[in-house]
Amino acid sequence: MYRRLFFAMIGGVPLLGLPAVAQSETDAAAVTPGASVPAATEAAPAAVPAAVAAPGTAVPEAAKPETAALPAAGAAAAEPAEVKPAEAVPAEAKPAEAKPALTRASAPAKPATRPIEDPAPRSSWPIAQRYYPTEVSVRPDLEVGSIIIVSDKFFLYHIIAPGKAMRYGVAVGRDELKFRGTAVVARKVRWPTWTPTPDMIKRNPNAYEKYKEGMPGGLTNPLGARAMYLYQDGKDTAIRIHGTTEPSSIGHAVSNGCLRMVNDHVIALFDQVPVGTKVTVY
């Protein structure tokens, strides 16, 4: 009887002061063999402090964190998905701006101005023989390089050496327009522009008004192929030694005051006379 009583009390009476361990709702011994115990009903083992555990009592390890399930042996490891760096999203491509082709100005180009060619020198001219270029003897005291004009004889003398001069025929101004005095060559121009003076326009507007803005140089320009501009005290006298479109006027007083020469003759003189040359008109 005592043995029965002893076994009957083992199920729920504490033994020697050890706390009772509550059984789960489903006794493991009562579970049908092969049946699985629901995970929710399995009790986690109680943690027994080592300081109070009876000798020989196994101290369960602290619960380990749940780990990921490993693949079965021999199974091919799944390759990790390839992680691509984020691709930069390009800005919206703008069409290249079309640059206009380099072109010349749309304004019509001016035709290139061709230089005016000097006429071929001639051996004869429609003038009296005495007005042909001639080397002559002059007074030795005359300044070499200077120009002397004797209006009433229609001669121009270029002093080329002591006692020697090259003489040319000229046309001079009408009586009331004759220039007298000393001046210097201040400018030299090839195929010059001609502009009538205000006095010329006033005297003969029908002939000169239309040229008040000037006439470009050329074969029909009254100043001819060359012009040497005479100044006094730094001021323009409006008197020129120049060529002509009327060579037959040489030897006559017909101009508005200027001194005309045949184009071939004025070209030759022009090439020999520097700016600053002294000119005396008698």
Side-chain angles (χ1 to χ4, degrees), residues 11-51:
V13 179
L15 295 178
L16 301 178
L18 295 177
V21 178
Q23 292 181 334
S24 60
E25 294 179 359
T26 304
D27 196 335
V31 177
T32 305
S36 60
V37 179
T41 60
E42 292 182 356
V48 181

PDB file of all heavy atoms in Angstrom, residues 11-51:
ATOM      1  N   GLY A  11       3.274  11.979  -9.355  1.00  0.00           N
ATOM      2  CA  GLY A  11       2.760  12.773 -10.477  1.00  0.00           C
ATOM      3  C   GLY A  11       2.614  14.227 -10.162  1.00  0.00           C
ATOM      4  O   GLY A  11       2.769  15.057 -11.048  1.00  0.00           O
ATOM      5  N   GLY A  12       2.346  14.681  -8.971  1.00  0.00           N
ATOM      6  CA  GLY A  12       2.054  16.092  -8.768  1.00  0.00           C
ATOM      7  C   GLY A  12       2.648  16.673  -7.542  1.00  0.00           C
ATOM      8  O   GLY A  12       2.508  17.834  -7.294  1.00  0.00           O
ATOM      9  N   VAL A  13       3.316  15.837  -6.670  1.00  0.00           N
ATOM     10  CA  VAL A  13       3.842  16.377  -5.427  1.00  0.00           C
ATOM     11  C   VAL A  13       5.287  16.729  -5.604  1.00  0.00           C
ATOM     12  O   VAL A  13       6.060  15.947  -6.147  1.00  0.00           O
ATOM     13  CB  VAL A  13       3.675  15.350  -4.284  1.00  0.00           C
ATOM     14  CG1 VAL A  13       4.241  15.906  -2.968  1.00  0.00           C
ATOM     15  CG2 VAL A  13       2.203  14.990  -4.123  1.00  0.00           C
ATOM     16  N   PRO A  14       5.690  17.889  -5.146  1.00  0.00           N
ATOM     17  CA  PRO A  14       7.108  18.233  -5.277  1.00  0.00           C
ATOM     18  C   PRO A  14       7.944  17.290  -4.468  1.00  0.00           C
ATOM     19  O   PRO A  14       7.551  16.854  -3.407  1.00  0.00           O
ATOM     20  CB  PRO A  14       7.195  19.656  -4.728  1.00  0.00           C
ATOM     21  CG  PRO A  14       5.778  20.134  -4.586  1.00  0.00           C
ATOM     22  CD  PRO A  14       4.905  18.918  -4.487  1.00  0.00           C
ATOM     23  N   LEU A  15       9.120  17.027  -5.079  1.00  0.00           N
ATOM     24  CA  LEU A  15      10.045  16.119  -4.410  1.00  0.00           C
ATOM     25  C   LEU A  15      11.176  16.911  -3.842  1.00  0.00           C
ATOM     26  O   LEU A  15      11.859  17.625  -4.571  1.00  0.00           O
ATOM     27  CB  LEU A  15      10.582  15.079  -5.400  1.00  0.00           C
ATOM     28  CG  LEU A  15       9.552  14.102  -5.968  1.00  0.00           C
ATOM     29  CD1 LEU A  15      10.235  13.171  -6.959  1.00  0.00           C
ATOM     30  CD2 LEU A  15       8.938  13.262  -4.829  1.00  0.00           C
ATOM     31  N   LEU A  16      11.390  16.797  -2.613  1.00  0.00           N
ATOM     32  CA  LEU A  16      12.529  17.383  -1.937  1.00  0.00           C
ATOM     33  C   LEU A  16      12.677  18.850  -2.242  1.00  0.00           C
ATOM     34  O   LEU A  16      13.778  19.354  -2.465  1.00  0.00           O
ATOM     35  CB  LEU A  16      13.824  16.620  -2.293  1.00  0.00           C
ATOM     36  CG  LEU A  16      13.824  15.126  -1.934  1.00  0.00           C
ATOM     37  CD1 LEU A  16      15.142  14.484  -2.396  1.00  0.00           C
ATOM     38  CD2 LEU A  16      13.633  14.897  -0.433  1.00  0.00           C
ATOM     39  N   GLY A  17      11.587  19.531  -2.287  1.00  0.00           N
ATOM     40  CA  GLY A  17      11.616  20.991  -2.442  1.00  0.00           C
ATOM     41  C   GLY A  17      11.812  21.486  -3.843  1.00  0.00           C
ATOM     42  O   GLY A  17      11.892  22.691  -4.051  1.00  0.00           O
ATOM     43  N   LEU A  18      11.923  20.675  -4.893  1.00  0.00           N
ATOM     44  CA  LEU A  18      12.077  21.136  -6.269  1.00  0.00           C
ATOM     45  C   LEU A  18      10.727  21.552  -6.789  1.00  0.00           C
ATOM     46  O   LEU A  18       9.717  20.877  -6.563  1.00  0.00           O
ATOM     47  CB  LEU A  18      12.644  20.028  -7.160  1.00  0.00           C
ATOM     48  CG  LEU A  18      14.077  19.580  -6.824  1.00  0.00           C
ATOM     49  CD1 LEU A  18      14.485  18.425  -7.741  1.00  0.00           C
ATOM     50  CD2 LEU A  18      15.030  20.742  -6.990  1.00  0.00           C
ATOM     51  N   PRO A  19      10.649  22.660  -7.529  1.00  0.00           N
ATOM     52  CA  PRO A  19       9.350  23.130  -8.051  1.00  0.00           C
ATOM     53  C   PRO A  19       8.823  22.191  -9.096  1.00  0.00           C
ATOM     54  O   PRO A  19       9.572  21.590  -9.845  1.00  0.00           O
ATOM     55  CB  PRO A  19       9.682  24.496  -8.647  1.00  0.00           C
ATOM     56  CG  PRO A  19      11.139  24.420  -8.965  1.00  0.00           C
ATOM     57  CD  PRO A  19      11.756  23.511  -7.921  1.00  0.00           C
ATOM     58  N   ALA A  20       7.551  22.078  -9.114  1.00  0.00           N
ATOM     59  CA  ALA A  20       6.898  21.225 -10.093  1.00  0.00           C
ATOM     60  C   ALA A  20       6.999  21.858 -11.448  1.00  0.00           C
ATOM     61  O   ALA A  20       6.975  23.073 -11.602  1.00  0.00           O
ATOM     62  CB  ALA A  20       5.427  21.037  -9.714  1.00  0.00           C
ATOM     63  N   VAL A  21       7.105  21.058 -12.453  1.00  0.00           N
ATOM     64  CA  VAL A  21       7.156  21.532 -13.828  1.00  0.00           C
ATOM     65  C   VAL A  21       5.814  21.256 -14.448  1.00  0.00           C
ATOM     66  O   VAL A  21       5.406  20.110 -14.536  1.00  0.00           O
ATOM     67  CB  VAL A  21       8.274  20.807 -14.604  1.00  0.00           C
ATOM     68  CG1 VAL A  21       8.280  21.281 -16.038  1.00  0.00           C
ATOM     69  CG2 VAL A  21       9.602  21.032 -13.937  1.00  0.00           C
ATOM     70  N   ALA A  22       5.140  22.328 -14.878  1.00  0.00           N
ATOM     71  CA  ALA A  22       3.802  22.144 -15.450  1.00  0.00           C
ATOM     72  C   ALA A  22       3.905  21.432 -16.765  1.00  0.00           C
ATOM     73  O   ALA A  22       4.741  21.747 -17.607  1.00  0.00           O
ATOM     74  CB  ALA A  22       3.136  23.511 -15.629  1.00  0.00           C
ATOM     75  N   GLN A  23       3.080  20.456 -16.925  1.00  0.00           N
ATOM     76  CA  GLN A  23       3.038  19.714 -18.166  1.00  0.00           C
ATOM     77  C   GLN A  23       2.252  20.474 -19.209  1.00  0.00           C
ATOM     78  O   GLN A  23       1.374  21.276 -18.904  1.00  0.00           O
ATOM     79  CB  GLN A  23       2.390  18.356 -17.935  1.00  0.00           C
ATOM     80  CG  GLN A  23       3.248  17.446 -17.072  1.00  0.00           C
ATOM     81  CD  GLN A  23       2.566  16.084 -16.882  1.00  0.00           C
ATOM     82  OE1 GLN A  23       1.351  15.986 -16.962  1.00  0.00           O
ATOM     83  NE2 GLN A  23       3.373  15.030 -16.626  1.00  0.00           N
ATOM     84  N   SER A  24       2.561  20.231 -20.418  1.00  0.00           N
ATOM     85  CA  SER A  24       1.809  20.843 -21.491  1.00  0.00           C
ATOM     86  C   SER A  24       0.467  20.209 -21.584  1.00  0.00           C
ATOM     87  O   SER A  24       0.225  19.147 -21.025  1.00  0.00           O
ATOM     88  CB  SER A  24       2.578  20.698 -22.800  1.00  0.00           C
ATOM     89  OG  SER A  24       2.770  19.329 -23.078  1.00  0.00           O
ATOM     90  N   GLU A  25      -0.398  20.920 -22.319  1.00  0.00           N
ATOM     91  CA  GLU A  25      -1.756  20.427 -22.440  1.00  0.00           C
ATOM     92  C   GLU A  25      -1.782  19.048 -23.050  1.00  0.00           C
ATOM     93  O   GLU A  25      -2.636  18.246 -22.776  1.00  0.00           O
ATOM     94  CB  GLU A  25      -2.583  21.406 -23.276  1.00  0.00           C
ATOM     95  CG  GLU A  25      -2.753  22.757 -22.577  1.00  0.00           C
ATOM     96  CD  GLU A  25      -3.547  23.702 -23.411  1.00  0.00           C
ATOM     97  OE1 GLU A  25      -3.941  23.307 -24.539  1.00  0.00           O
ATOM     98  OE2 GLU A  25      -3.801  24.851 -22.978  1.00  0.00           O
ATOM     99  N   THR A  26      -0.899  18.700 -23.905  1.00  0.00           N
ATOM    100  CA  THR A  26      -0.880  17.390 -24.552  1.00  0.00           C
ATOM    101  C   THR A  26       0.356  16.683 -24.063  1.00  0.00           C
ATOM    102  O   THR A  26       1.469  17.144 -24.319  1.00  0.00           O
ATOM    103  CB  THR A  26      -0.841  17.501 -26.059  1.00  0.00           C
ATOM    104  OG1 THR A  26      -1.946  18.287 -26.484  1.00  0.00           O
ATOM    105  CG2 THR A  26      -0.908  16.137 -26.703  1.00  0.00           C
ATOM    106  N   ASP A  27       0.194  15.605 -23.371  1.00  0.00           N
ATOM    107  CA  ASP A  27       1.330  14.851 -22.835  1.00  0.00           C
ATOM    108  C   ASP A  27       2.030  14.158 -23.973  1.00  0.00           C
ATOM    109  O   ASP A  27       1.413  13.535 -24.814  1.00  0.00           O
ATOM    110  CB  ASP A  27       0.833  13.816 -21.827  1.00  0.00           C
ATOM    111  CG  ASP A  27       1.962  13.261 -20.953  1.00  0.00           C
ATOM    112  OD1 ASP A  27       3.138  13.304 -21.438  1.00  0.00           O
ATOM    113  OD2 ASP A  27       1.692  12.838 -19.847  1.00  0.00           O
ATOM    114  N   ALA A  28       3.361  14.311 -23.982  1.00  0.00           N
ATOM    115  CA  ALA A  28       4.125  13.687 -25.060  1.00  0.00           C
ATOM    116  C   ALA A  28       3.918  12.199 -25.105  1.00  0.00           C
ATOM    117  O   ALA A  28       3.924  11.592 -26.170  1.00  0.00           O
ATOM    118  CB  ALA A  28       5.614  14.028 -24.887  1.00  0.00           C
ATOM    119  N   ALA A  29       3.734  11.610 -23.968  1.00  0.00           N
ATOM    120  CA  ALA A  29       3.553  10.152 -23.955  1.00  0.00           C
ATOM    121  C   ALA A  29       2.236   9.737 -24.552  1.00  0.00           C
ATOM    122  O   ALA A  29       2.053   8.603 -24.973  1.00  0.00           O
ATOM    123  CB  ALA A  29       3.644   9.620 -22.507  1.00  0.00           C
ATOM    124  N   ALA A  30       1.298  10.704 -24.552  1.00  0.00           N
ATOM    125  CA  ALA A  30      -0.025  10.376 -25.066  1.00  0.00           C
ATOM    126  C   ALA A  30      -0.165  10.626 -26.546  1.00  0.00           C
ATOM    127  O   ALA A  30      -1.234  10.375 -27.106  1.00  0.00           O
ATOM    128  CB  ALA A  30      -1.079  11.181 -24.298  1.00  0.00           C
ATOM    129  N   VAL A  31       0.814  11.130 -27.140  1.00  0.00           N
ATOM    130  CA  VAL A  31       0.724  11.423 -28.580  1.00  0.00           C
ATOM    131  C   VAL A  31       0.922  10.153 -29.351  1.00  0.00           C
ATOM    132  O   VAL A  31       1.816   9.359 -29.038  1.00  0.00           O
ATOM    133  CB  VAL A  31       1.782  12.455 -28.996  1.00  0.00           C
ATOM    134  CG1 VAL A  31       1.718  12.682 -30.508  1.00  0.00           C
ATOM    135  CG2 VAL A  31       1.572  13.734 -28.261  1.00  0.00           C
ATOM    136  N   THR A  32       0.071  10.027 -30.354  1.00  0.00           N
ATOM    137  CA  THR A  32       0.152   8.838 -31.175  1.00  0.00           C
ATOM    138  C   THR A  32       1.487   8.788 -31.891  1.00  0.00           C
ATOM    139  O   THR A  32       1.947   9.794 -32.430  1.00  0.00           O
ATOM    140  CB  THR A  32      -0.967   8.849 -32.222  1.00  0.00           C
ATOM    141  OG1 THR A  32      -2.221   8.995 -31.528  1.00  0.00           O
ATOM    142  CG2 THR A  32      -0.956   7.597 -33.056  1.00  0.00           C
ATOM    143  N   PRO A  33       2.157   7.573 -31.807  1.00  0.00           N
ATOM    144  CA  PRO A  33       3.472   7.459 -32.488  1.00  0.00           C
ATOM    145  C   PRO A  33       3.393   7.901 -33.951  1.00  0.00           C
ATOM    146  O   PRO A  33       2.472   7.527 -34.656  1.00  0.00           O
ATOM    147  CB  PRO A  33       3.799   5.981 -32.355  1.00  0.00           C
ATOM    148  CG  PRO A  33       3.022   5.505 -31.165  1.00  0.00           C
ATOM    149  CD  PRO A  33       1.771   6.316 -31.120  1.00  0.00           C
ATOM    150  N   GLY A  34       4.382   8.737 -34.425  1.00  0.00           N
ATOM    151  CA  GLY A  34       4.422   9.225 -35.823  1.00  0.00           C
ATOM    152  C   GLY A  34       3.695  10.517 -36.032  1.00  0.00           C
ATOM    153  O   GLY A  34       3.852  11.165 -37.071  1.00  0.00           O
ATOM    154  N   ALA A  35       2.869  10.867 -35.016  1.00  0.00           N
ATOM    155  CA  ALA A  35       2.150  12.132 -35.180  1.00  0.00           C
ATOM    156  C   ALA A  35       3.057  13.283 -34.805  1.00  0.00           C
ATOM    157  O   ALA A  35       3.875  13.171 -33.915  1.00  0.00           O
ATOM    158  CB  ALA A  35       0.891  12.118 -34.302  1.00  0.00           C
ATOM    159  N   SER A  36       2.928  14.388 -35.471  1.00  0.00           N
ATOM    160  CA  SER A  36       3.776  15.565 -35.206  1.00  0.00           C
ATOM    161  C   SER A  36       3.125  16.421 -34.159  1.00  0.00           C
ATOM    162  O   SER A  36       1.913  16.564 -34.119  1.00  0.00           O
ATOM    163  CB  SER A  36       3.987  16.377 -36.489  1.00  0.00           C
ATOM    164  OG  SER A  36       2.739  16.821 -36.983  1.00  0.00           O
ATOM    165  N   VAL A  37       3.984  16.963 -33.340  1.00  0.00           N
ATOM    166  CA  VAL A  37       3.487  17.849 -32.285  1.00  0.00           C
ATOM    167  C   VAL A  37       3.392  19.238 -32.865  1.00  0.00           C
ATOM    168  O   VAL A  37       4.370  19.744 -33.431  1.00  0.00           O
ATOM    169  CB  VAL A  37       4.442  17.832 -31.076  1.00  0.00           C
ATOM    170  CG1 VAL A  37       3.928  18.777 -29.983  1.00  0.00           C
ATOM    171  CG2 VAL A  37       4.566  16.422 -30.525  1.00  0.00           C
ATOM    172  N   PRO A  38       2.246  19.879 -32.729  1.00  0.00           N
ATOM    173  CA  PRO A  38       2.122  21.245 -33.289  1.00  0.00           C
ATOM    174  C   PRO A  38       3.147  22.160 -32.655  1.00  0.00           C
ATOM    175  O   PRO A  38       3.381  22.127 -31.458  1.00  0.00           O
ATOM    176  CB  PRO A  38       0.697  21.668 -32.923  1.00  0.00           C
ATOM    177  CG  PRO A  38      -0.026  20.378 -32.679  1.00  0.00           C
ATOM    178  CD  PRO A  38       0.970  19.411 -32.120  1.00  0.00           C
ATOM    179  N   ALA A  39       3.762  22.954 -33.507  1.00  0.00           N
ATOM    180  CA  ALA A  39       4.828  23.839 -33.012  1.00  0.00           C
ATOM    181  C   ALA A  39       4.307  24.783 -31.970  1.00  0.00           C
ATOM    182  O   ALA A  39       5.007  25.146 -31.036  1.00  0.00           O
ATOM    183  CB  ALA A  39       5.434  24.620 -34.174  1.00  0.00           C
ATOM    184  N   ALA A  40       3.053  25.210 -32.139  1.00  0.00           N
ATOM    185  CA  ALA A  40       2.510  26.173 -31.196  1.00  0.00           C
ATOM    186  C   ALA A  40       2.361  25.591 -29.824  1.00  0.00           C
ATOM    187  O   ALA A  40       2.330  26.307 -28.828  1.00  0.00           O
ATOM    188  CB  ALA A  40       1.162  26.683 -31.688  1.00  0.00           C
ATOM    189  N   THR A  41       2.242  24.162 -29.671  1.00  0.00           N
ATOM    190  CA  THR A  41       1.998  23.545 -28.380  1.00  0.00           C
ATOM    191  C   THR A  41       3.255  23.046 -27.745  1.00  0.00           C
ATOM    192  O   THR A  41       3.234  22.592 -26.610  1.00  0.00           O
ATOM    193  CB  THR A  41       1.020  22.372 -28.523  1.00  0.00           C
ATOM    194  OG1 THR A  41       1.594  21.410 -29.400  1.00  0.00           O
ATOM    195  CG2 THR A  41      -0.309  22.865 -29.087  1.00  0.00           C
ATOM    196  N   GLU A  42       4.393  23.086 -28.416  1.00  0.00           N
ATOM    197  CA  GLU A  42       5.629  22.620 -27.839  1.00  0.00           C
ATOM    198  C   GLU A  42       6.126  23.666 -26.871  1.00  0.00           C
ATOM    199  O   GLU A  42       6.225  24.837 -27.196  1.00  0.00           O
ATOM    200  CB  GLU A  42       6.678  22.380 -28.919  1.00  0.00           C
ATOM    201  CG  GLU A  42       6.320  21.200 -29.824  1.00  0.00           C
ATOM    202  CD  GLU A  42       7.387  20.957 -30.858  1.00  0.00           C
ATOM    203  OE1 GLU A  42       8.348  21.754 -30.890  1.00  0.00           O
ATOM    204  OE2 GLU A  42       7.282  20.002 -31.644  1.00  0.00           O
ATOM    205  N   ALA A  43       6.476  23.245 -25.689  1.00  0.00           N
ATOM    206  CA  ALA A  43       6.935  24.167 -24.663  1.00  0.00           C
ATOM    207  C   ALA A  43       8.420  24.284 -24.755  1.00  0.00           C
ATOM    208  O   ALA A  43       9.124  23.293 -24.920  1.00  0.00           O
ATOM    209  CB  ALA A  43       6.544  23.667 -23.271  1.00  0.00           C
ATOM    210  N   ALA A  44       8.879  25.498 -24.648  1.00  0.00           N
ATOM    211  CA  ALA A  44      10.320  25.707 -24.654  1.00  0.00           C
ATOM    212  C   ALA A  44      10.875  25.195 -23.337  1.00  0.00           C
ATOM    213  O   ALA A  44      10.261  25.354 -22.280  1.00  0.00           O
ATOM    214  CB  ALA A  44      10.614  27.200 -24.838  1.00  0.00           C
ATOM    215  N   PRO A  45      12.024  24.567 -23.381  1.00  0.00           N
ATOM    216  CA  PRO A  45      12.614  24.039 -22.136  1.00  0.00           C
ATOM    217  C   PRO A  45      12.882  25.145 -21.162  1.00  0.00           C
ATOM    218  O   PRO A  45      13.311  26.236 -21.549  1.00  0.00           O
ATOM    219  CB  PRO A  45      13.896  23.374 -22.626  1.00  0.00           C
ATOM    220  CG  PRO A  45      14.208  24.014 -23.942  1.00  0.00           C
ATOM    221  CD  PRO A  45      12.887  24.382 -24.523  1.00  0.00           C
ATOM    222  N   ALA A  46      12.602  24.902 -19.915  1.00  0.00           N
ATOM    223  CA  ALA A  46      12.812  25.907 -18.897  1.00  0.00           C
ATOM    224  C   ALA A  46      14.275  26.070 -18.653  1.00  0.00           C
ATOM    225  O   ALA A  46      15.023  25.102 -18.600  1.00  0.00           O
ATOM    226  CB  ALA A  46      12.124  25.486 -17.594  1.00  0.00           C
ATOM    227  N   ALA A  47      14.631  27.254 -18.485  1.00  0.00           N
ATOM    228  CA  ALA A  47      16.041  27.529 -18.234  1.00  0.00           C
ATOM    229  C   ALA A  47      16.300  27.300 -16.746  1.00  0.00           C
ATOM    230  O   ALA A  47      15.675  27.897 -15.887  1.00  0.00           O
ATOM    231  CB  ALA A  47      16.348  28.971 -18.654  1.00  0.00           C
ATOM    232  N   VAL A  48      17.235  26.407 -16.477  1.00  0.00           N
ATOM    233  CA  VAL A  48      17.575  26.089 -15.078  1.00  0.00           C
ATOM    234  C   VAL A  48      18.857  26.792 -14.719  1.00  0.00           C
ATOM    235  O   VAL A  48      19.881  26.567 -15.354  1.00  0.00           O
ATOM    236  CB  VAL A  48      17.769  24.575 -14.874  1.00  0.00           C
ATOM    237  CG1 VAL A  48      18.090  24.277 -13.398  1.00  0.00           C
ATOM    238  CG2 VAL A  48      16.519  23.834 -15.311  1.00  0.00           C
ATOM    239  N   PRO A  49      18.813  27.632 -13.739  1.00  0.00           N
ATOM    240  CA  PRO A  49      20.042  28.324 -13.385  1.00  0.00           C
ATOM    241  C   PRO A  49      21.078  27.306 -12.933  1.00  0.00           C
ATOM    242  O   PRO A  49      20.788  26.385 -12.183  1.00  0.00           O
ATOM    243  CB  PRO A  49      19.620  29.230 -12.229  1.00  0.00           C
ATOM    244  CG  PRO A  49      18.148  29.345 -12.331  1.00  0.00           C
ATOM    245  CD  PRO A  49      17.655  28.058 -12.937  1.00  0.00           C
ATOM    246  N   ALA A  50      22.219  27.488 -13.364  1.00  0.00           N
ATOM    247  CA  ALA A  50      23.289  26.543 -13.051  1.00  0.00           C
ATOM    248  C   ALA A  50      23.574  26.486 -11.546  1.00  0.00           C
ATOM    249  O   ALA A  50      23.983  25.462 -11.005  1.00  0.00           O
ATOM    250  CB  ALA A  50      24.536  26.947 -13.836  1.00  0.00           C
ATOM    251  N   ALA A  51      23.341  27.613 -10.924  1.00  0.00           N
ATOM    252  CA  ALA A  51      23.657  27.637  -9.485  1.00  0.00           C
ATOM    253  C   ALA A  51      22.763  26.713  -8.667  1.00  0.00           C
ATOM    254  O   ALA A  51      23.123  26.302  -7.555  1.00  0.00           O
ATOM    255  CB  ALA A  51      23.524  29.065  -8.980  1.00  0.00           C
TER     256      ALA A  51
END
